[in-house]
Amino acid sequence: MTIEHINIGDITLRYELTGPRDAPVVCLNHCFASGLGYWDLHLPAFEGLRVLRHDARGHGGSDAPPGPYTLEMLAADAAGLQDALGIDRVHFCGVSLGGQIAQTFALNYPERLASLILVNTTCQYDDDQVAMWQERAQQALDDGIEAIHAPLMARWFTQEAADRKLPGYLYMDEAIGKFAPRSFAAAATAMCELNPTQRLPQIKAPTLIIGTPDDPGAPREVTEMMARLIPNATLSWLEPARHLSSLEHPDRFNKLVRAFLRRQP
């Protein structure tokens, strides 16, 4: 199936749905400032499944209404997309901002969740992290996206990934360069209101957490705490990497995810 557009409530979302029509569905949620193309390197992980991926509100080819956005809004967009396509239950996978959406979806729509995959994401920000995102959002609005392009790439990737010009690095380098400053600010607001920590024990679905010990956006201690709080969670590390480990190690990521999904009923 080719990439399509569909009306969901107050916006139009850009999405793609591929794979066997009678197979279980996996819903893929990309990181901040990217789009459904984030998953191109990872499609082998989902072979045999029906794969639903979309551009989140404010990203890629989806509508970008004025912000601020909330995580509840972004999770409702994913649920609305599934409703429109007649999908009742999904394996839900998200990276970074997509992982924050995934946690929100798991808590707000538990009956729709077959399993959960959380990649380089966090359940909370401290005051310094919130201040950083607020400052960068304002900088993007004042000076344009190019003012924060290089600092974000250094936050997301190791120097080796940059030197080798890995495909995932090149994808994100292009994606952030196209990201609209007002969408940056709107999505950053959603991330800054993140705080599901106390509710994580309510997530009962089988959960795979993939983290990186040196992740500046999802610190090791928070990743380990999430694995303790979610009752049926397993934790795997991808390293060396920074924040977007799956794009630095796509083959290893794909093997981890494929093995996890094959264990699900």
Side-chain angles (χ1 to χ4, degrees):
M1 184 174 181
T2 58
I3 291 176
E4 304 279 357
H5 292 79
I6 192 168
N7 292 326
I8 304 295
D10 63 332
I11 64 169
T12 297
L13 293 181
R14 176 179 180 257
Y15 77 97
E16 183 183 63
L17 181 61
T18 58
R21 291 184 177 275
D22 58 348
V25 178
V26 58
C27 179
L28 304 180
N29 292 256
H30 58 78
C31 73
F32 181 76
S34 64
L36 59 81
Y38 182 97
W39 300 102
D40 286 352
L41 295 172
H42 301 315
L43 293 179
F46 310 107
E47 185 176 353
L49 296 175
R50 193 146 173 80
V51 177
L52 174 63
R53 50 181 176 157
H54 70 284
D55 294 337
R57 177 184 295 248
H59 292 69
S62 290
D63 283 351
Y69 302 161
T70 67
L71 292 173
E72 283 72 19
M73 181 186 296
L74 296 169
D77 288 342
L81 175 60
Q82 294 165 30
D83 287 340
L85 297 174
I87 298 169
D88 296 325
R89 199 160 181 259
V90 296
H91 301 279
F92 204 101
C93 175
V95 56
S96 190
L97 169 61
Q100 297 174 10
I101 297 168
Q103 293 170 68
T104 308
F105 183 93
L107 291 166
N108 290 359
Y109 308 94
E111 73 285 354
R112 306 185 69 155
L113 192 66
S115 72
L116 183 64
I117 303 172
L118 303 174
V119 187
N120 288 101
T121 193
T122 182
C123 59
Q124 61 188 40
Y125 285 136
D126 61 26
D127 291 343
D128 289 341
Q129 289 170 307
V130 170
M132 180 206 70
W133 280 114
Q134 291 173 337
E135 180 181 343
R136 285 191 169 158
Q138 191 60 51
Q139 190 176 12
L141 291 172
D142 292 343
D143 304 323
I145 206 73
E146 61 275 7
I148 53 174
H149 188 145
L152 284 175
M153 292 299 291
R155 181 180 176 87
W156 290 339
F157 291 97
T158 63
Q159 187 59 48
E160 181 181 0
D163 292 342
R164 293 174 58 194
K165 292 184 170 55
L166 295 179
Y169 178 91
L170 295 176
Y171 167 76
M172 285 304 305
D173 191 46
E174 180 179 4
I176 186 63
K178 295 178 178 179
F179 201 38
R182 73 170 191 167
S183 293
F184 185 108
T189 301
M191 293 192 293
C192 287
E193 55 97 28
L194 171 77
N195 191 25
T197 304
Q198 299 304 316
R199 297 179 63 200
L200 291 183
Q202 299 174 23
I203 297 176
K204 305 304 182 184
T207 300
L208 172 64
I209 299 174
I210 297 176
T212 301
D214 297 324
D215 187 342
R220 179 178 188 138
E221 61 272 18
V222 177
T223 302
E224 292 174 337
M225 179 183 68
M226 293 171 65
R228 291 194 303 271
L229 290 176
I230 298 175
N232 197 10
T234 57
L235 172 60
S236 295
W237 299 107
L238 272 182
E239 56 181 320
R242 295 284 282 167
H243 186 52
L244 298 182
S245 66
S246 77
L247 294 182
E248 292 217 37
H249 306 287
D251 292 340
R252 287 164 53 194
F253 173 85
N254 292 348
K255 288 177 182 177
L256 283 171
V257 171
R258 185 163 57 245
F260 170 77
L261 290 171
R262 286 178 176 173
R263 294 194 297 270
Q264 307 314 311

